Amino acid sequence: MKSFIDKYGQFLLSVVFALGAVLFWAVPYVAALNYQEQYQLFLFEDTYFLDRISIPGGLSDYIAEFLVQFYYIPFLGAIILGLLFFFLQRLTAKLFDRLNVQSVWYPLSFIPVILLWVYMGNENVLLSFVLSLLVAEGIMLAYIAFRQSGAKKWIGNICLLLVLPLYYWFFGTCIWIIATFVVIYDLYYKGLKGLNLFRGLCIILYVNIIILCCAQFIQYPLYKLYGGINYFRYPGIIPWMQWVVMAAFVFIPFIADFLSVVKLHKVLLVQGIQVAILLILGYLLICYSYNPLTYNIIDYDYLVRNHQWQKILDKAQGQITNTPLGASCVNYALAMTGQLDDHLFEYYQNGAEGLFPSFARDMTSPVPTSDIFYSLGMINDAERYAFEAQEAIPNYRKSGRLMQRIIQCEIINGNYKVAAKYLRMLKKSLFYHSWADRQMQFLGNDRAVNADPEYGRLRDLRIKHTDYLFSDREMDQMLGLLMIDNKKYNNKMAYEYLIAYELLQKDMHHFMEYYPLGKCFNFDHIPYCIQQVLIGLWVQEHGTLQGMPYSVDQQNLGETTTFMQTYVNNPNNPSLRQPPLCYNAWHYILMVGNKKQGKQNMREIY
């Protein structure tokens, strides 16, 4: 009965752990899967495989990118990660069995995988590291099985001589796990004999020789060859946590075996205490390692990619979006649902950068901004931001999402040869293949482009000046050009962004110049934010509401006059910072930041 509980109870615990990992990635951190998928593009072609396999760790990188492409369907990605965690933990448990660790210490087999889970809180850890760990554990198990089989030692030495260089070339730096484990195993179980010590030193020396030989043929610095080329997205960084995880996979089995000398009677109690400690510490470490600010941005980018506008607004109501990128995503969602100039100040605003964040040469921030430009009809700027984001990917990968945007912009601009070049590449992928096939109909076919609801509209909306020079210091002028180039006055989104821009700049002079253009866009009412500003300006100029020519909502009228009266009587009145008064446009204009905030911090990029 006891062996039955040990066998199936342990397996059940492993399954529960794997299901927890699946739920973790499928629900709260589903955006992290999207983040990994959109910064690589797996291609089914020989040159792609040869490019990956030409450096140490290339096979693990190739297999990892093959698996990561399935993150395009997030639930599949969560299942893949859950399975990898499950197999890593079970292989560690098998090592425990081979080392005759008492079953009471089974919960300790979760420690290496939990540490890996914590390490993966860094969004730049790549799946190739996980796969390399998995293969390393398999080789460690095979080595123990060979030594315990009683086979001759010289056969094992020859196998190591063959396996270690092959492993290093195909799976990379995790070779240190295998070498260290073999050395410790021989010394721990076979005795601290001179022959075993010499053999251990020879193994360590042999690994160094392998790495130094590789350095003669590939142009990578030694620290990368020793620390791993494809385990982390940024080539110049090898996080210290990588070594902690690697060490855990080596030493935890021996620590568990050392603890097995202790004779315990209350086995279930000890196991329960271990599980409780692992749950508490694991939860705390995972919460600490998954930076809320970083994953908040990743979440917004994921929601923008999937056009989940209401979820963006719901998310913004639950927390302060205190970054320009987050604010721009919220304002984009408001614009896409036709609410920008109605509910602009019901959400956190930080100046003009909350509409168009300043350009940064990284792979993250230009992506949602590119989507904003695309929806507005600023096609050249959308393509420029998408291209810059793709070129800023640290490990020089391509992006299916960004390549889609570049193709769309090239089709709209009529640059069909460039679009065809990228389409041919996407057709070699799995999840972008059908989309690329559908776009082929537009190549060289202006009539099809003009008839397409999306492409035709954006081709009509785009700025057509040949001498156009983009400047993010003067986005009001950029939006003005966008509206002027469209004589049909059907770019309502550009008008809403223009008004929001002047309000966030607190530029009342230009606001009064531009707001009358709204009559060209067939609004069914004057947007609420505009109403509030007009009411306040009229009261300031005339001292009374009599004779006000604007058609305004009575609730807006009452709240705005209440705000103005309260502010005049006591600018520090707490009610001004509470709903509904804090949602009034005048709260932002009079009480948030300085005049013309944000614009001076923006800069030209071209």
Side-chain angles (χ1 to χ4, degrees):
M1 184 67 180
K2 183 178 179 181
S3 61
F4 179 86
I5 294 174
D6 285 344
K7 182 178 179 180
Y8 292 99
Q10 291 172 0
F11 183 79
L12 180 61
L13 192 60
S14 301
V15 171
V16 170
F17 175 77
L19 289 175
V22 171
L23 291 175
F24 176 86
W25 295 108
V27 183
Y29 286 90
V30 63
L33 301 178
N34 170 82
Y35 182 87
Q36 298 295 335
E37 185 276 333
Q38 77 177 17
Y39 291 117
Q40 65 145 69
L41 180 63
F42 183 87
L43 301 178
F44 290 90
E45 63 176 359
D46 295 341
T47 55
Y48 183 84
F49 173 75
L50 293 174
D51 181 61
R52 292 293 177 271
I53 207 69
S54 62
I55 58 175
L59 183 60
S60 66
D61 198 28
Y62 183 80
I63 298 172
E65 291 191 345
F66 173 81
L67 293 175
V68 169
Q69 70 177 328
F70 291 97
Y71 292 7
Y72 188 87
I73 303 173
F75 190 68
L76 285 181
I79 291 174
I80 288 170
L81 284 172
L83 287 174
L84 288 174
F85 280 18
F86 174 80
F87 288 128
L88 278 169
Q89 186 275 324
R90 292 298 294 174
L91 285 176
T92 305
K94 287 293 183 183
L95 284 173
F96 278 31
D97 289 341
R98 286 290 182 179
L99 297 177
N100 297 317
V101 175
Q102 291 184 27
S103 61
V104 67
W105 301 112
Y106 181 81
L108 296 183
S109 65
F110 290 89
I111 292 178
V113 190
I114 291 174
L115 288 175
L116 174 63
W117 194 341
V118 170
Y119 177 43
M120 291 177 71
N122 188 320
E123 71 281 4
N124 294 305
V125 176
L126 301 178
L127 193 66
S128 53
F129 179 57
V130 182
L131 292 173
S132 298
L133 291 171
L134 189 67
V135 176
E137 280 210 298
I139 294 174
M140 288 152 57
L141 268 173
Y143 179 79
I144 295 176
F146 180 84
R147 291 304 302 272
Q148 292 179 349
S149 68
K152 294 182 179 180
K153 187 179 293 186
W154 65 269
I155 299 177
N157 292 335
I158 291 176
C159 290
L160 273 179
L161 287 174
L162 296 175
V163 167
L164 289 177
L166 288 174
Y167 178 90
Y168 180 72
W169 190 263
F170 289 138
F171 297 98
T173 300
C174 283
I175 189 176
W176 289 112
I177 295 178
I178 302 170
T180 307
F181 184 88
V182 167
V183 171
I184 295 176
Y185 178 84
D186 286 345
L187 293 176
Y188 188 72
Y189 290 100
K190 305 302 178 180
L192 294 173
K193 300 176 182 178
L195 185 60
N196 288 334
L197 285 171
F198 178 74
R199 184 171 179 272
L201 290 174
C202 288
I203 291 173
I204 299 299
L205 179 62
Y206 182 55
V207 172
N208 280 277
I209 291 173
I210 292 170
I211 296 174
L212 293 174
C213 287
C214 290
Q216 304 303 312
F217 300 101
I218 58 175
Q219 298 300 313
Y220 276 90
L222 275 177
Y223 81 92
K224 288 301 296 180
L225 294 175
Y226 274 93
I229 297 175
N230 300 307
Y231 294 165
F232 197 74
R233 199 184 314 275
Y234 284 85
I237 300 174
I238 302 173
W240 61 270
M241 190 63 184
Q242 173 183 305
W243 300 106
V244 172
V245 173
M246 291 168 65
F249 278 94
V250 173
F251 290 104
I252 289 299
F254 295 113
I255 292 173
D257 185 49
F258 179 77
L259 292 174
S260 293
V261 300
V262 181
K263 301 298 181 182
L264 298 172
H265 300 288
K266 297 182 178 180
V267 173
L268 291 178
L269 177 62
V270 174
Q271 287 183 329
I273 292 173
Q274 291 177 72
V275 171
I277 292 173
L278 288 177
L279 282 173
I280 295 171
L281 288 180
Y283 175 79
L284 293 175
L285 288 172
I286 289 171
C287 289
Y288 175 78
S289 64
Y290 285 74
N291 185 287
L293 180 60
T294 299
Y295 282 91
N296 187 48
I297 293 172
I298 291 173
D299 284 344
Y300 276 118
D301 180 55
Y302 169 73
L303 294 173
V304 166
R305 181 181 186 180
N306 291 280
H307 297 175
Q308 297 183 7
W309 312 123
Q310 190 55 50
K311 286 189 177 181
I312 292 175
L313 299 179
D314 293 342
K315 179 179 176 64
Q317 288 178 343
Q319 60 187 40
I320 295 178
T321 310
N322 55 0
T323 62
L325 184 60
S328 70
C329 292
V330 173
N331 290 330
Y332 184 33
L334 287 170
M336 295 303 289
T337 54
Q339 305 178 68
L340 182 60
D341 289 344
D342 279 331
H343 303 290
L344 176 68
F345 295 109
E346 293 179 21
Y347 299 88
Y348 172 83
Q349 299 298 336
N350 63 339
E353 289 197 351
L355 293 174
F356 305 103
S358 292
F359 177 81
R361 294 188 184 277
D362 61 44
M363 66 179 184
T364 305
S365 59
V367 179
T369 309
S370 174
D371 286 358
I372 294 169
F373 286 144
Y374 182 79
S375 297
L376 282 167
M378 302 175 73
I379 303 304
N380 291 338
D381 307 306
E383 181 176 0
R384 184 182 299 120
Y385 273 60
F387 180 82
E388 291 288 348
Q390 179 165 258
E391 293 304 305
I393 298 174
N395 58 350
Y396 315 113
R397 301 302 193 252
K398 298 300 180 185
S399 165
R401 175 186 178 183
L402 295 173
M403 204 168 287
Q404 280 183 311
R405 176 66 72 231
I406 293 170
I407 290 168
Q408 290 173 319
C409 294
E410 294 292 0
I411 289 175
I412 292 169
N413 283 331
N415 300 324
Y416 300 123
K417 290 184 178 180
V418 179
K421 170 189 172 183
Y422 288 113
L423 284 171
R424 285 193 295 269
M425 187 180 297
L426 281 189
K427 287 183 71 173
K428 297 174 183 176
S429 65
L430 178 61
F431 291 102
Y432 299 98
H433 174 85
S434 58
W435 182 89
D437 270 343
R438 293 194 299 271
Q439 305 310 304
M440 297 298 288
Q441 64 176 311
F442 297 112
L443 299 183
N445 191 344
D446 286 335
R447 180 176 296 181
V449 174
N450 294 331
D452 185 78
E454 178 179 331
Y455 291 162
R457 174 180 170 274
L458 291 173
R459 177 173 279 191
D460 183 56
L461 295 182
R462 65 186 174 141
I463 295 175
K464 304 172 187 67
H465 288 286
T466 56
D467 59 349
Y468 166 67
L469 181 65
F470 176 79
S471 171
D472 66 359
R473 292 183 183 180
E474 301 168 314
M475 285 305 300
D476 50 353
Q477 296 184 31
M478 302 299 103
L479 292 166
L481 285 173
L482 191 63
M483 294 171 61
I484 290 171
D485 263 17
N486 181 253
K487 304 301 183 184
K488 298 177 183 178
Y489 291 102
N490 59 0
N491 196 345
K492 184 183 288 187
M493 183 177 174
Y495 171 78
E496 290 182 309
Y497 261 84
L498 176 62
I499 294 302
Y501 182 86
E502 300 303 353
L503 291 179
L504 293 177
Q505 290 287 93
K506 306 183 182 181
D507 191 337
M508 296 299 102
H509 174 71
H510 284 104
F511 166 81
M512 292 302 292
E513 285 185 355
Y514 297 144
Y515 98 85
L517 294 174
K519 64 184 178 182
C520 302
F521 295 95
N522 299 318
F523 284 95
D524 58 4
H525 68 281
I526 300 175
Y528 297 145
C529 292
I530 297 178
Q531 289 185 29
Q532 293 162 6
V533 176
L534 293 176
I535 294 167
L537 290 175
W538 181 269
V539 170
Q540 291 179 49
E541 185 174 348
H542 298 87
T544 177
L545 294 171
Q546 293 182 354
M548 187 173 64
Y550 315 118
S551 176
V552 297
D553 180 76
Q554 288 301 310
Q555 182 176 348
N556 260 327
L557 185 65
E559 290 177 0
T560 304
T561 53
T562 300
F563 181 93
M564 302 300 288
Q565 291 170 359
T566 305
Y567 183 82
V568 169
N569 293 331
N570 180 13
N572 297 316
N573 192 313
S575 65
L576 295 174
R577 293 174 173 81
Q578 300 295 325
L581 298 185
C582 68
Y583 295 150
N584 196 279
W586 286 100
H587 173 268
Y588 177 86
I589 295 169
L590 296 174
M591 301 181 66
V592 177
N594 300 314
K595 189 176 181 180
K596 301 267 186 176
Q597 83 171 49
K599 195 169 187 176
Q600 68 275 21
N601 294 325
M602 301 179 78
R603 56 189 175 84
E604 288 189 33
I605 62 171
Y606 292 98

